[in-house]
Amino acid sequence: MERNSPERVRQQAKASGDAQIIQVAGDQHIYVQAPGNVSAAVADKARPVLAWTASQLGVHAAISDGQHGTRGSFVLPRYVRRQHDEELRVCIETVSRGTGTKLVVLRGGSCTGKTRTAFEAVRTYLPDWQLLFPKDADSLLASLAADIVGPRTVLWLNEAQNYLDGPAGETCAAALRRLLEAAGPCLVVATLWPEQHQEFSTSPGLERAQVRALLQQAAVHEVPARFSTVDLTALMEQVHHDTSLATAHITSRATGMVTQTLAAGPDLVDYYEHPTGPFGPYGKALITAAVDARRFGVTAPLPLDFLTAAVPGYLTDAQRANAPHDWETHALAYACAPVKHVASAFSPVPHPTGMGARPGVVRLADYLVYHGSRSRRLSAPPESFWLATRFLTSAADLHSLADAARLRGRILQATSLYLRIAEEPGVLALLTEMANEVGDEARAESLAHQAAEIGDGSALVVLAAARMAAGNRHGAETLYRKAADLSHPDALLALGHIRRKARDHIAAERLYREAIDADLTGYALTEARRALADICEQSGRQTEAEQWSRKATSGVQRFRLRSLADIQQRAGGKAAAESSFKRSADDGDQMALVILAEMREESGDHIGAEEYAYRAADVGLMDGLDNLAIARANAGDLVSAERLARLAADGGSTWALWELARVNSEEPKWEKVLRYGLTADGCPAEPWW
């Protein structure tokens, strides 16, 4: 008889009296302690259901907004009940009222919410039961042999393939079948992927016969991969109470893959921000270029030619020097690799009419768009990003990029992009304004008249306003009249102001009415209504004056936060005012963060001031950084002022940069950085760097 034969193992076990053989299959010998010693052998103990946390039972940590949870903390958002929850509830309530034992299998793909569904159901409907969660097959077998899975116990088999697959799979399945024959009430909860369930259920012949027989006795509940329209409506009712759900709704409502975003989002971000392997940094650079493109307004599918051309500026010198010839292939593979089997940074774009994917383009994961827009809010793309825009063709995308470049002080790049779409409405007006701001009046006038020739009077309005500001009223009126001939509402409004100042009330009233009829909007519309109210009152038409006055008042929006801070300081002191604004900030008042930054700066707490300014910037409000930059400049700290102003510019506000340039115009670098880069012939000048 062979030394390790099944018969020899049985004889050794019988002679020792220490173990009870459950199954011997080939060289795999699976056994548990004999009944007299089982208590010491069971490593996992049953505890009350409510004593278990979601994390302990295998629920994935969810995404966080970064403010209500630190990196690495376990975030559990509110639970959104769906149709399968009701079906599971009925099943569990039936088990709790009976005397038998039932196996419930929650079947669904990765990160669809199987474990969270089971967790919520068990806590809700069996809160006073015990729960046992064996960590592996050996522990499960030991627990079953010890007969500790008694009545009013939940046996928790999350990721059931860990028990039913491998050498011990058939033994575990046989032991679970015996449990299902025992008295209850008792509930066995298992989770499985659809492909695993199918594999176990359809194995041929004697292979996995016990597993197949076990699953035939199970009550299988499907957990859908996507939220239905009804589910999304239920989600909408919760987003105002839970930041994680709000983020998932924003980034997943188009696909309905809400649970995947909640569960896989943290891992996807970690995969992106902490790349591994020799090609990880190149993959991260590729993804970051895509993030910058999307946060700057590019909505079309992202061309791979654009992304790869943008990559060099996101890498270190050493990474560029050591890049292999096929780095692009490996970087793309890294960006397309699935995380938790459900999420990847890049995904293919379906063909608009046929089958398959569009070649040469990719789509960036919505959650990375959301995350990147926040994490890179104060980061400026490298020069290679702007050079790579030559591969983009959508006029709308180029316009968005040009606007973003201009807002961030990247004037040469903005000019170049605007020139590519000069035929688009309003673009020549922007170029006119840019030329006028650098003092190139001839170029500005040429652009304005070029726009007028194609029926766009906005450039003439820009030029006219500049002449009015320079004191050239006659020249301004001439340009306004040319724009008015093109029915430009702002030109009509300006002419109305000019005629009213000249006491030509009849002509002014006509121009104001024409401006309103020409779809005047915003504060300009309020101006026109107020002017008409005044004219009507002066001419004795009181009823009409009151009508225009009411219309004007309905359009006025007032900003009173700064004055409110002053009032509170006078009434209750600075401490009371700051405490009040802290409460406002905690309640989501973003402007309160700006005021708090000012108050901290005035108190000499420069670090605290910047912290509040950064918090405001994180939600898209650059006023705090702008204000601090000016305050530092006034205090003589020009280095700190420039640093803060550049951060604000990278976030989309160049106001502080322009103010600093105005008071430091003797510094040639400021001039070159901030000027729009148009030479006398209108071509972009060479960048100073």
Side-chain angles (χ1 to χ4, degrees):
M1 184 169 55
E2 296 181 11
R3 187 172 63 87
N4 291 324
S5 67
E7 183 59 32
R8 183 177 180 84
V9 172
R10 290 190 184 93
Q11 290 179 2
Q12 290 174 345
K14 184 176 181 179
S16 65
D18 291 334
Q20 175 183 356
I21 296 296
I22 294 179
Q23 179 183 2
V24 180
D27 288 337
Q28 301 295 330
H29 311 130
I30 301 163
Y31 60 93
V32 297
Q33 295 288 331
N37 299 323
V38 291
S39 297
V42 178
D44 297 303
K45 309 295 183 183
R47 303 205 310 266
V49 165
L50 297 182
W52 292 89
T53 66
S55 176
Q56 290 171 333
L57 293 179
V59 177
H60 293 303
I63 57 177
S64 169
D65 65 352
Q67 297 176 2
H68 296 83
T70 58
R71 182 180 297 276
S73 63
F74 187 86
V75 178
L76 189 70
R78 289 193 176 200
Y79 189 65
V80 180
R81 295 180 64 86
R82 301 160 67 189
Q83 180 59 42
H84 64 271
D85 289 287
E86 298 306 314
E87 298 169 355
L88 181 59
R89 174 188 64 81
V90 173
C91 180
I92 290 179
E93 288 184 338
T94 301
V95 172
S96 65
R97 291 194 298 266
T99 58
T101 300
K102 186 70 176 178
L103 169 63
V104 171
V105 173
L106 292 169
R107 182 171 63 185
S110 178
C111 299
T112 55
K114 303 182 297 296
T115 309
R116 180 70 189 276
T117 296
F119 173 76
E120 294 294 334
V122 168
R123 284 178 64 88
T124 301
Y125 303 112
L126 305 174
D128 54 346
W129 283 32
Q130 296 287 304
L131 186 146
L132 174 67
F133 182 14
K135 302 306 184 292
D136 54 30
D138 288 342
S139 180
L140 171 62
L141 290 173
S143 299
L144 294 176
D147 199 24
I148 63 173
V149 185
R152 297 174 62 83
T153 299
V154 176
L155 178 58
W156 190 265
L157 303 181
N158 192 46
E159 303 291 352
Q161 71 277 3
N162 294 332
Y163 308 96
L164 302 180
D165 204 3
E170 283 290 271
T171 305
C172 288
L176 288 169
R177 289 182 64 195
R178 296 187 188 96
L179 177 65
L180 296 182
E181 298 170 359
C186 182
L187 180 67
V188 182
V189 176
T191 63
L192 275 173
W193 290 4
E195 54 268 33
Q196 294 165 341
H197 184 269
Q198 183 180 33
E199 179 185 354
F200 291 153
S201 302
T202 59
S203 298
L206 296 177
E207 184 181 355
R208 291 178 174 152
Q210 295 289 349
V211 175
R212 189 167 62 248
L214 173 68
L215 293 178
Q216 288 174 352
Q217 301 179 61
V220 180
H221 294 267
E222 299 291 342
V223 180
R226 288 177 168 82
F227 270 42
S228 67
T229 303
V230 174
D231 297 334
L232 289 172
T233 301
L235 175 65
M236 273 292 294
E237 297 174 356
Q238 300 287 342
V239 296
H240 299 297
H241 308 289
D242 192 293
T243 55
S244 295
L245 292 181
T247 302
H249 178 260
I250 292 170
T251 58
S252 309
R253 59 191 170 195
T255 62
M257 311 227 358
V258 175
T259 57
Q260 291 86 342
T261 297
L262 286 168
D267 294 272
L268 183 59
V269 168
D270 186 68
Y271 181 80
Y272 157 57
E273 291 189 338
H274 303 91
T276 59
F279 300 103
Y282 305 102
K284 178 180 180 179
L286 203 65
I287 297 168
T288 306
V291 167
D292 283 344
R294 287 295 307 274
R295 72 188 180 97
F296 282 178
V298 176
T299 59
L302 297 167
L304 290 174
D305 288 343
F306 159 70
L307 295 175
T308 53
V311 158
Y314 294 93
L315 299 171
T316 65
D317 291 345
Q319 288 168 342
R320 291 199 306 273
N322 295 321
H325 71 281
D326 57 349
W327 71 266
E328 297 176 8
T329 301
H330 293 287
L332 180 60
Y334 185 90
C336 293
V339 176
K340 283 191 172 179
H341 303 276
V342 294
S344 59
F346 287 174
S347 59
V349 179
H351 194 280
T353 57
M355 302 296 288
R358 286 180 55 183
V361 295
V362 292
R363 176 180 177 273
L364 179 65
D366 288 338
Y367 184 65
L368 284 183
V369 176
Y370 173 84
H371 171 80
S373 297
R374 295 166 65 88
S375 65
R376 289 188 56 77
R377 185 175 293 281
L378 300 180
S379 299
E383 189 66 19
S384 61
F385 174 89
W386 300 107
L387 294 174
T389 57
R390 67 186 183 275
F391 291 105
L392 300 177
T393 58
S394 166
D397 288 344
L398 292 172
H399 203 312
S400 295
L401 285 169
D403 290 344
R406 187 185 182 196
L407 282 172
R408 288 160 176 80
R410 308 286 293 195
I411 308 308
L412 297 176
Q413 291 83 353
T415 302
S416 176
L417 289 164
Y418 282 135
L419 287 172
R420 290 179 58 187
I421 53 171
E423 72 283 357
E424 294 293 313
V427 171
L428 287 172
L430 289 170
L431 289 169
T432 300
E433 183 178 0
M434 294 161 72
N436 189 72
E437 286 179 343
V438 298
D440 191 348
E441 295 181 3
R443 178 61 174 167
E445 186 159 351
S446 173
L447 288 165
H449 288 291
Q450 183 181 341
E453 290 175 1
I454 60 175
D456 184 359
S458 55
L460 291 170
V461 171
V462 169
L463 193 58
R467 292 192 176 177
M468 180 68 80
N472 185 357
R473 176 172 167 259
H474 176 72
E477 188 169 1
T478 300
L479 291 170
Y480 277 133
R481 289 192 180 281
K482 290 181 179 180
D485 291 340
L486 298 173
S487 299
H488 195 287
D490 290 336
L492 293 165
L493 176 64
L495 287 172
H497 290 336
I498 292 173
R499 289 295 87 212
R500 186 183 176 199
K501 191 172 184 178
R503 300 185 183 281
D504 185 358
H505 296 303
I506 295 176
E509 181 175 351
R510 174 180 55 79
L511 288 163
Y512 286 137
R513 291 181 183 274
E514 288 181 11
I516 293 173
D517 292 339
D519 295 328
L520 201 64
T521 60
Y523 187 73
L525 177 60
T526 300
E527 279 190 71
R529 288 170 171 172
R530 282 177 172 169
L532 282 172
D534 291 342
I535 292 173
C536 290
E537 185 175 8
Q538 291 173 14
S539 62
R541 291 173 285 165
Q542 191 62 34
T543 301
E544 190 175 358
E546 291 177 359
Q547 292 174 347
W548 283 116
S549 181
R550 281 195 297 270
K551 289 181 179 179
T553 304
S554 68
V556 175
Q557 295 181 347
R558 297 175 181 173
F559 174 68
R560 301 182 298 169
L561 193 57
R562 179 69 256 185
S563 60
L564 177 59
D566 294 335
I567 292 171
Q568 287 185 327
Q569 287 192 40
R570 288 196 297 269
K574 189 172 183 179
E578 187 166 339
S579 177
S580 175
F581 278 99
K582 284 181 179 178
R583 289 194 298 271
S584 297
D586 291 339
D587 290 338
D589 189 339
Q590 299 167 0
M591 282 303 301
L593 295 170
V594 176
I595 301 303
L596 286 167
E598 291 183 32
M599 298 175 75
R600 287 288 86 211
E601 183 74 8
E602 291 169 0
S603 298
D605 180 8
H606 303 307
I607 295 176
E610 289 194 23
E611 287 179 353
Y612 279 119
Y614 291 144
R615 284 180 59 186
D618 284 342
V619 293
L621 207 58
M622 300 300 148
D623 302 53
L625 291 171
D626 276 332
N627 293 343
L628 287 186
I630 297 304
R632 301 281 171 88
N634 290 336
D637 185 359
L638 295 180
V639 173
S640 179
E642 181 175 347
R643 173 177 60 83
L644 292 166
R646 289 187 180 280
L647 284 173
D650 289 341
S653 173
T654 55
W655 172 73
L657 276 176
W658 279 106
E659 284 297 303
L660 290 175
R662 182 177 60 80
V663 298
N664 293 282
S665 58
E666 71 278 3
E667 298 182 21
K669 180 181 290 188
W670 276 105
E671 289 292 308
K672 290 183 178 180
V673 170
L674 297 173
R675 291 308 180 189
Y676 282 95
L678 292 176
T679 58
D681 61 356
C683 297
E686 289 296 322
W688 63 269
W689 56 87

